[in-house]
Amino acid sequence: MKKTGIFYGSTNGDTESVANKIAIQLGIGKEDVHNVADTTPHAVQPYEVLLLGCSTWGVGEMQDDWNDFLFKLKDMDLKNKTVALFGCGDSVSFSSSFCDALGVIYHELQHTGCTFTGEVDPSEYRFDGSGGVIDGKFVGLPIDDNNESDRTDTRIKKWTDRLKVTVLS
Ligand SMILES: Cc1cc2nc3c(=O)[nH]c(=O)nc-3n(C[C@H](O)[C@H](O)[C@H](O)COP(=O)(O)O)c2cc1C
């Protein structure tokens, strides 16, 4: 399997929990699961594949710890790296900015040269609008543990199974 690192930011632990579940599905060790709150962006260097997890706060903003991390990451050369995004949000209380952070990170990393993967069909979700939907697809895996926690494990399994075939093998 390609060397894969998970980098997440999480305020209440929801995205952290998703990051750990993704790691288990993909057989990624704890040493390769990083909280961006206490990691330097240069820690991405050894990895071929980066799984970046960020919840959405405010109205459509990235989880706080991502600000400093992304500020540096967006100026790095990531052209030999594949990036897949994931993150938690609330499709009921924040239905018009559901998982917007996926779109924020996607846009900010456009000039790094990385290759994105891991898109998800929005028809499997109910929401009014999302900056995470670009060209008709979520640019990563949205998770709503607030309202649809019963679907979280299935969504993670489906997404990681696809990554195993398309990117990681
Ligand atoms: C003040 C506040 C603002 C939020 N804003 C959004 C939002 O704009 N879009 C969204 O999808 N979720 C929003 N959420 C929901 C969180 O993203 C959600 O609870 C998520 O599971 C938190 O994940 P974390 O514990 O990994 O940070 C907001 C929650 C709070 C309390």
Side-chain angles (χ1 to χ4, degrees):
M1 192 175 102
K2 290 185 179 152
K3 189 164 172 58
T4 303
I6 299 178
F7 294 79
Y8 70 88
S10 181
T11 299
N12 290 340
D14 295 341
T15 307
E16 179 176 25
S17 163
V18 172
N20 289 328
K21 287 179 176 182
I22 290 171
I24 289 167
Q25 287 294 329
L26 296 176
I28 295 169
K30 286 191 189 320
E31 67 282 5
D32 294 315
V33 182
H34 309 270
N35 186 337
V36 297
D38 39 53
T39 309
T40 158
H42 293 288
V44 305
Q45 292 295 17
Y47 299 107
E48 294 174 85
V49 179
L50 304 174
L51 308 183
L52 307 181
C54 180
S55 50
T56 301
W57 286 84
V59 179
E61 294 164 16
M62 289 185 302
Q63 190 271 345
D64 274 353
D65 298 321
W66 264 97
N67 289 310
D68 286 348
F69 194 83
L70 193 64
F71 186 72
K72 294 184 185 124
L73 190 66
K74 71 181 184 183
D75 288 331
M76 290 171 65
D77 179 359
L78 305 179
K79 70 171 167 299
N80 294 320
K81 301 191 191 300
T82 301
V83 171
L85 306 174
F86 65 95
C88 291
D90 183 332
S91 61
V92 175
S93 301
F94 297 90
S95 190
S96 299
S97 58
F98 177 51
C99 287
D100 272 14
L102 297 174
V104 175
I105 297 179
Y106 180 85
H107 284 300
E108 291 285 351
L109 293 185
Q110 286 301 308
H111 299 296
T112 62
C114 70
T115 302
F116 286 97
T117 191
E119 304 83 7
V120 169
D121 186 348
S123 69
E124 297 169 22
Y125 297 80
R126 293 175 67 177
F127 62 102
D128 291 334
S130 174
V133 175
I134 296 169
D135 295 334
K137 295 271 188 191
F138 274 112
V139 292
L141 172 68
I143 293 290
D144 184 351
D145 261 348
N146 293 268
N147 309 291
E148 301 179 330
S149 59
D150 54 322
R151 303 180 75 173
T152 294
D153 289 355
T154 315
R155 284 171 168 163
I156 290 172
K157 174 88 169 51
K158 190 173 171 188
W159 191 69
T160 51
D161 280 352
R162 198 149 38 85
L163 286 185
K164 281 181 202 167
V165 175
T166 55
V167 202
L168 299 173
S169 55

